[in-house]
């Protein structure tokens, strides 16, 4: 899947989950701040900076995923309503009432009237990027059902990633606070020795 790369501090071997299913790396919870600094051979201030970088990357990724989810949540109802229209055309084609009058939306506030003959078995679908293609009813239905399933699955995957990210953001915020407090204590102790 989509791999997200972070300049993450090395993970401990005790870490259970190394990354999400889509490749988002897990944040390491720092259990012993002093031992962590010794093992990583890094100063407290530098470690806080690194932890902030990781936290910011998680927040950026969270915003990106929220935008993707928002776009999908707008797209899914459109696919459903288009699928309903195609199903209606299929029913009309198979009935005695193949011809009917309909109103359709041309733009946000503009509708037009159309005389529809469902026996023609042709529908045009917008595929995006200013592309429209002609399909017979069954092919259109199959495509729309596939797109609906795909969009729903994507939305579910993004929701799972967002839940995973929320945990990683919390862990990184706790790490930052604990490391910052350790730095404050070190500075206090240094002042006390002077």
């Amino acid at each position: 899947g989509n791999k997200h790369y972070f300049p993450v501090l090395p993970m401990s071997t005790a870490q259970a989950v190394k990354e999400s299913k889509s490749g988002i790396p897990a944040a390491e919870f720092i259990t012993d701040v002093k031992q962590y600094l010794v093992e990583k051979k890094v100063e407290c201030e530098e470690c806080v900076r690194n932890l902030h970088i990781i936290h910011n990357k998680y927040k950026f990724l969270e915003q990106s995923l929220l935008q993707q989810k928002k776009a999908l949540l707008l797209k899914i109802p459109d696919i459903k309503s288009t699928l309903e229209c195609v199903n209606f055309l299929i029913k009309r084609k198979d009935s005695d009432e193949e011809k009917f009058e309909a109103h359709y939306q041309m733009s946000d506030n503009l509708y037009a009237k159309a005389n529809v003959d469902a026996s023609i078995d042709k529908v045009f679908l917008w595929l995006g990027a200013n592309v429209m293609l002609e399909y017979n009813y069954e092919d259109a239905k199959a495509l729309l059902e596939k797109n609906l399933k795909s969009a729903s699955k994507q939305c579910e995957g993004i929701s799972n990633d967002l839940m995973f990210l929320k945990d990683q953001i919390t862990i990184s915020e706790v790490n930052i606070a604990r490391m910052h407090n350790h730095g404050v204590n070190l500075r206090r102790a240094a002042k006390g020795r002077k």
Side-chain angles (χ1 to χ4, degrees):
N2 240 1
K3 289 285 181 192
H4 307 282
Y5 296 99
F6 287 59
V8 186
L9 299 170
M11 300 276 199
S12 72
T13 52
Q15 186 85 21
V17 178
K18 295 254 190 259
E19 61 182 35
S20 71
K21 287 179 184 170
S22 64
I24 301 168
E28 176 183 0
F29 180 73
I30 302 170
T31 49
D32 186 333
V33 175
K34 290 176 192 170
Q35 184 184 342
Y36 183 86
L37 292 172
V38 170
E39 283 176 10
K40 305 302 178 202
K41 297 178 179 76
V42 66
E43 291 295 318
C44 190
E45 289 74 24
E46 184 186 344
C47 186
V48 170
R49 279 193 300 275
N50 290 339
L51 291 170
H52 272 291
I53 289 169
I54 292 166
H55 177 262
N56 290 340
K57 288 186 179 265
Y58 282 133
K59 293 298 280 181
F60 178 80
L61 184 55
E62 180 185 45
Q63 288 308 308
S64 172
L65 289 174
L66 285 169
Q67 287 173 345
Q68 287 176 39
K69 185 174 180 177
K70 184 179 177 183
L72 281 171
L73 291 175
L74 291 173
K75 188 177 167 183
I76 289 171
D78 285 346
I79 297 170
K80 284 180 179 175
S81 66
T82 305
L83 184 57
E84 284 175 21
C85 289
V86 170
N87 285 329
F88 178 78
L89 288 170
I90 290 169
K91 280 181 192 165
R92 279 300 183 102
K93 183 184 137 202
D94 298 337
S95 76
D96 298 342
E97 301 171 37
E98 292 175 336
K99 294 182 181 177
F100 61 95
E101 194 175 273
H103 290 86
Y104 65 96
Q105 190 174 9
M106 291 182 69
S107 67
D108 285 344
N109 297 317
L110 181 63
Y111 289 81
K113 190 168 29 171
N115 292 313
V116 180
D117 184 352
S119 67
I120 295 174
D121 193 26
K122 285 189 175 124
V123 68
F124 290 87
L125 297 179
W126 281 109
L127 302 180
N130 293 326
V131 176
M132 181 185 265
L133 284 180
E134 179 182 309
Y135 291 90
N136 67 39
Y137 296 159
E138 290 303 325
D139 288 346
K141 181 180 176 178
L143 177 70
L144 290 166
E145 286 172 343
K146 182 182 129 225
N147 288 353
L148 182 59
K149 186 177 177 182
S150 172
S152 298
K153 190 176 178 184
Q154 268 185 291
C155 200
E156 185 182 324
I158 289 172
S159 293
N160 290 338
D161 280 346
L162 284 167
M163 286 191 311
F164 180 81
L165 264 176
K166 193 174 196 135
D167 290 344
Q168 306 324 299
I169 288 168
T170 302
I171 290 169
S172 63
E173 287 169 348
V174 169
N175 285 342
I176 289 167
R178 293 179 75 225
M179 193 61 70
H180 173 78
N181 290 343
H182 179 67
V184 169
N185 291 336
L186 288 176
R187 287 189 292 280
R188 273 194 198 135
K191 279 183 185 174
R193 277 184 252 130
K194 284 182 180 177

